[in-house]
């Protein structure tokens, strides 16, 4: 066993694989940041709102007013530097910190694919992705290196494997497989697509998409890993992600996944890409590649190993909670649960001054944007944080003993809406933590499966 | 060689799919099959049998009100005042059938707010009357015009009709009040004519053609406008706010038609009925029902065998109407004498917010208006 590990860790692969990945990753990040800016989302999502929903433990991370734009500009510049591979080590560190800071500012905008980008850029912090096809290597030939340890590339493959496979596992539940939910709700609303539009109204199509989607997610990492099926696998990746791009508003994510899947190809493929790109850009090839012997770097290996272990375990934390995962969302995020449910809710908060006994209801639009309100009304940690905010807000006007109650309803995957939070619980007194939230009412149904 | 072929295929496929995804010019689905709900028919029913007839009726009632206003200001008398009040009431009741359609020209003009922001700003109105200067199209002047301002001028100036008429007769005040009143009624007519003309002109075809499923499609937009109206203007504006649901104490001065003291309940009932009729796709001029949110929900229900949502929503409308019918005509008086009837009505109206906004929107897969951020 030990010798197996030793031989594995001494295996090498071409640097080209990682260099190509770096360039594509940088391009994707550059354009997605540009897109974000051009849609005016910085203002709408991070400057307009009066209040922001923090992640537990990251309450100190807040948008910076107009300077929030600076964060995005820094992201833009650093992703450009990643593309050209200039001062790579610094630019990837800056990018990782900046991007992750942006994601932590308000969990309203949480998306699995933003988390995926943070994970990838974290991995890239420790990888020598600038040793080929980069300005760094051009300026300093001693950096230029033809081979790197194989695990440098494999760790990205493991990350992708986890994303796909876990997304597939999450689909193995009765709503997805037996009721074709939520696709049965989502697909018919694409009635205006040519050809597909009328097909998407048919029940068998909903089932085909549900089963096909689950099968795809579970199979694709294997198809990509196994050489004879690799091209077929990649073809499926393209078809699948282009289709999801058409059917659902998921931004740049499909393209990120498509280019990421290129990492599975062999070195000669990447060498060819670099060769062609160099010709196209009229770049002089660097001949004096050092077939470098570097000191073995244990620390990056340890950090990445630990990180991937956490990635493997984290999605299972929901098992520690008794309640229905879809209902309470305890342990839902950061687990590659993608497009799994259609959840809608309504939360009507009541503020009570227990000294005077007077009470009034809250118009959520006074404090939240409609996007924030939508996210808040179906997720208990949002509801609690908002309740605390309301308690603080109304305590400022001199009133003490403020109690906050909520009457809320949530509908999941086509079920009729049900009462969500216990309306008799004073949320101002409840503390947020990772402990089960016993003020969430029971889900009057059963979703079986993983 | 083999790889070039694969790449070629991938690119070709991507192009085809991309071409499909970008051609969202709506209405292009000519080969609509039986198993596809006919949204185009729903939009046509909304436009031709509900919205345009409702605006036509409203516009006619407003024209009568303008006429009555000019008769009254020429010969201010108690009889002419009563006449104007009747015309004002009829137009105000008709307004409840168009208020929810804040789309197209109405949205552009800020129609609902210009016609019905209450409580009206009495201090500014008095200032304007004495100075004889006002510009109703300024956003800051939203609260000095429309039905609530007319309400004040014909019902709220004094305690008795004789005293009110005196304002329009006395030499010192007549010019100011007569001018302001006519300007108010004329502005309502001008606005309603503009909206009606737009519907009868080009907007109808734009609206009907907007069958796309995006946030800019007519179905998404009008359903969002309808829900916004139901939640903010009907539930909160007419009942919740005066009943003190959103404040520490009740605010009886915030009822609709405050000065008339007679028609608040009638306006409320008209609004609930109009909302229910829109939901059911009931024609404005006859009892027949066409394609609607109700039939759309029923159609989707046949796919997913879910709960009978449209019946639940209709029942809730009925319960709300029954509760509202128990209120007195003067809602401000109702708040001060027995506010519990107001809050009970609020609770029933609120139940339908959940059915409409959570359950119906989920079933229709329509997004509540929000930043078009990505999902995953």
């Amino acid at each position: 066993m030990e010798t197996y590990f030793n031989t594995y860790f001494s295996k090498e692969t071409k640097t080209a694989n990682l260099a190509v990945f770096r360039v594509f990753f940088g391009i994707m990040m550059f354009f997605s940041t540009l897109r974000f800016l051009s849609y005016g989302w910085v203002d709408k999502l991070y400057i307009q709102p009066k209040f922001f929903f923090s992640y537990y433990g990251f309450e100190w991370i807040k948008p910076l007013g107009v300077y929030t734009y600076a964060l995005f500009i820094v992201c833009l510049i650093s992703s450009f530097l990643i593309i050209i591979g200039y001062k790579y080590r610094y630019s990837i560190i800056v990018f990782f910190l900046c991007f992750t800071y942006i994601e932590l500012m308000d969990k309203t905008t949480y998306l699995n694919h933003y988390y995926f980008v943070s994970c990838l850029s974290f991995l890239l912090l420790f990888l020598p992705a600038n040793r080929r096809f980069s300005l760094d290597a051009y300026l300093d030939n001693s950096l230029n290196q033809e081979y790197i340890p194989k695990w440098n590339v494999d760790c990205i493959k493991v990350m992708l494997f986890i994303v796909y496979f876990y997304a597939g596992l999450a689909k193995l539940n009765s709503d997805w497989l037996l009721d074709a939910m939520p696709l049965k709700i989502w697909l018919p609303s694409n009635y205006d697509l040519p050809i597909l539009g009328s097909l998407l109204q048919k029940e068998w199509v909903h089932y085909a998409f549900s089963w096909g989607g689950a099968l795809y997610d579970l199979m694709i990492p294997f198809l990509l890993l196994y050489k004879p099926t690799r091209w077929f696998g990649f073809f499926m990746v393209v078809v699948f992600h282009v289709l999801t791009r058409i059917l659902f508003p998921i931004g740049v994510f499909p393209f990120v996944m498509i280019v990421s899947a290129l990492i599975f190809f062999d070195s000669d493929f990447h060498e060819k890409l670099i060769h062609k790109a160099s010709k196209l850009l009229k770049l002089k090839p660097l001949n004096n590649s050092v077939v470098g012997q570097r000191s073995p770097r244990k620390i990056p290996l340890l950090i990445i190993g630990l990180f991937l272990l956490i990635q493997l375990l984290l999605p299972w934390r929901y098992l520690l909670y008794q309640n229905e995962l879809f209902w309470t969302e305890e342990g839902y995020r950061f687990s590659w649960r993608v497009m799994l449910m259609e959840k809608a809710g309504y939360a009507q908060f009541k503020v009570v001054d227990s000294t005077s006994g007077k009470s009034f209801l809250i118009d959520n639009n006074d404090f939240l944007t409609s996007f924030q309100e939508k996210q808040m009304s179906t997720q208990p940690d949002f509801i609690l944080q908002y309740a605390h905010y309301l308690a603080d807000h109304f305590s400022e006007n001199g009133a003490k003993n403020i109690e906050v109650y909520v009457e809320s309803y949530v509908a999941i995957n086509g079920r009729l809406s049900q009462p969500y939070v216990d309306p008799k619980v004073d949320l101002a007194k409840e503390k947020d933590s990772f402990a089960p939230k016993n003020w969430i009412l029971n889900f009057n149904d059963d979703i079986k499966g993983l | 060689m083999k790889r070039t072929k694969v790449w070629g295929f991938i690119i070709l496929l991507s192009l085809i799919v991309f071409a499909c995804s970008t051609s969202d010019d709506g209405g292009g689905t000519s080969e609509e099959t039986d198993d596809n709900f006919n949204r185009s028919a729903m939009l046509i029913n909304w436009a031709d049998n509900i919205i345009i007839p409702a605006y036509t009726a409203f516009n006619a009632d407003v024209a009568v009100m303008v006429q009555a206003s000019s008769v009254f200001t020429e010969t201010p008398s108690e009889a002419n005042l009563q006449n104007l009040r009747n015309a004002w009431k009829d137009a105000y009741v008709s307004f409840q059938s168009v208020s929810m359609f804040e789309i197209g020209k109405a949205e552009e003009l800020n129609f609902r707010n210009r016609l019905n922001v209450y409580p009206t700003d009495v201090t500014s109105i008095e200032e304007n009357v004495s100075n004889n200067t006002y510009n109703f199209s300024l956003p800051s002047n939203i609260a000095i015009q429309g039905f609530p301002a007319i309400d004040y001028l014909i019902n709220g100036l004094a305690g008795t009709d004789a005293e009110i008429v005196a304002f329009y007769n006395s030499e010192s005040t007549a010019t100011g009040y007569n001018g302001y009143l006519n300007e108010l009624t004329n502005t309502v007519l001008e606005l309603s004519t503009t909206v009606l003309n737009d519907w009868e002109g080009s907007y109808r075809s734009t609206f009907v053609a907007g069958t796309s499923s995006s946030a800019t499609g007519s179905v998404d937009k009008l359903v969002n406008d309808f829900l916004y109206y139901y939640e903010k203007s009907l539930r909160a504006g007419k009942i919740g706010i005066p009943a003190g649901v959103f404040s520490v104490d009740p605010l009886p001065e915030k009822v609709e038609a405050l000065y008339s003291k007679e028609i608040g309940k009638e306006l409320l009932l008209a609004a609930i009925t109009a909302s229910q009729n829109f939901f059911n796709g009931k024609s404005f001029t006859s009892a027949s029902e066409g394609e609607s949110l109700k039939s759309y929900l029923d159609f989707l229900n046949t796919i997913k065998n879910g709960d009978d949502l449209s019946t639940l929503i209709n029942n809730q409308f009925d319960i709300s109407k029954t509760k509202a019918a128990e209120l007195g005509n003067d809602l401000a008086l109702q708040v001060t004498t027995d506010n519990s009837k107001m809050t009970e009505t609020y609770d029933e109206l609120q139940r339908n917010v959940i059915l409409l906004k959570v359950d119906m929107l989920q079933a229709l897969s329509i997004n509540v208006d929000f930043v078009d951020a990505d999902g995953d």
Side-chain angles (χ1 to χ4, degrees), chain A residues 14 29 78 95 116 161 173-174 189 226 285 289 372 420:
Chain A
K14 287 274 184 79
M29 292 309 108
S78 56
F95 178 82
F116 176 63
F161 183 96
N173 66 70
S174 53
S189 69
Y226 185 52
S289 294
Q372 288 178 316
Y420 191 53

Side-chain angles (χ1 to χ4, degrees), chain A residues 112 202 246 358 361 365 417, chain B residues 17 35 232 245 249 359 376:
Chain A
N112 284 294
K202 298 192 197 306
I246 294 168
K358 297 210 169 181
L361 301 185
N365 297 132
S417 55
Chain B
V17 185
D35 54 359
K232 306 283 175 192
V245 164
D249 295 303
D359 295 291
D376 73 357

